Amino acid sequence: MTADIALIRSSFKAVEPHGSQVTGYFYDHLFTNHPGVRPLFAPHIDEQRDRLWAALGALVANIENTETLTTMLQNLGRRHVGYGALAEHYPAVGASLIATLKHYAGNDWTPEVEESWVAVYGVISETMIAAGETASR
Ligand code: HEM
């Protein structure tokens, strides 16, 4: 993958202090651009906000620990089948995730950072989707 791990870490760190605002922005972006996915989520997503953010933090923390990362993503992908997440939803979530990181990273956001996140999200979604497909067969 063409991801620069140091850039992933530094940009994530720049966004982190913005706390729950970040996930609020993410869900607003996702539901505005893809209202069709709103019914998949519980009506009140406050608790869910923190879990998604915690999961992203754990993924970034383990980004070089391929075995742990893969196991985490496979489990997450299998659980997402139960939430009604389909392969075609992943690009929408990825676009909102990247728009959100870009919004809060400020000057830390560069084309190289974006390229790295696109590559990382590609691996994340491929691993989750593949595990989900195996689980639902
Ligand atoms: C980077 C990719 C993603 C990450 C890190 C992520 C993370 C999470 C986490 C940590 C949870 C909490 C429950 C659990 O741990 O099983 C969750 C729940 C959920 N996710 Fe994701 N997710 C991702 C992609 C997606 C996609 C593509 C969809 C499809 C629209 C989706 C829809 C949902 C739904 C519907 C729930 C349950 C929410 C509820 O009960 O209201 N997620 N996700």
Side-chain angles (χ1 to χ4, degrees), residues 90-107:
Y90 281 82
V93 168
S96 292
L97 181 68
I98 284 169
T100 304
L101 292 165
K102 181 177 185 169
H103 182 80
Y104 288 102
N107 291 336

Side-chain angles (χ1 to χ4, degrees), residues 37 40-42 45 48 51-52 55-56 59 76 79-80 83 85-86 89-90 93 97 121 124 128:
V37 302
L40 268 52
F41 292 85
I45 52 168
Q48 169 60 23
R51 286 191 297 185
L52 183 126
L56 267 185
L59 295 176
L76 199 56
R79 292 200 297 274
H80 275 70
Y83 307 146
L86 302 174
H89 294 143
Y90 281 82
V93 168
L97 181 68
Y121 187 76
I124 289 177
M128 287 176 68

Side-chain angles (χ1 to χ4, degrees), residues 70-87:
T70 305
T71 304
M72 287 167 70
L73 289 171
Q74 287 172 338
N75 289 333
L76 199 56
R78 283 186 208 108
R79 292 200 297 274
H80 275 70
V81 175
Y83 307 146
L86 302 174

Side-chain angles (χ1 to χ4, degrees), residues 22 25-26 30-31 35 47 50-51 57 59 62-63 66 75 85 88 92 103 105 111 114-115 126-127 132 136:
V22 179
Y25 185 98
F26 165 78
L30 180 64
F31 298 152
E47 196 183 315
D50 296 341
R51 286 191 297 185
L59 295 176
N62 285 290
I63 201 154
T66 314
N75 289 333
E88 66 242 41
H103 182 80
E114 181 154 333
E115 194 187 315
E126 277 165 24
T127 310
S136 57

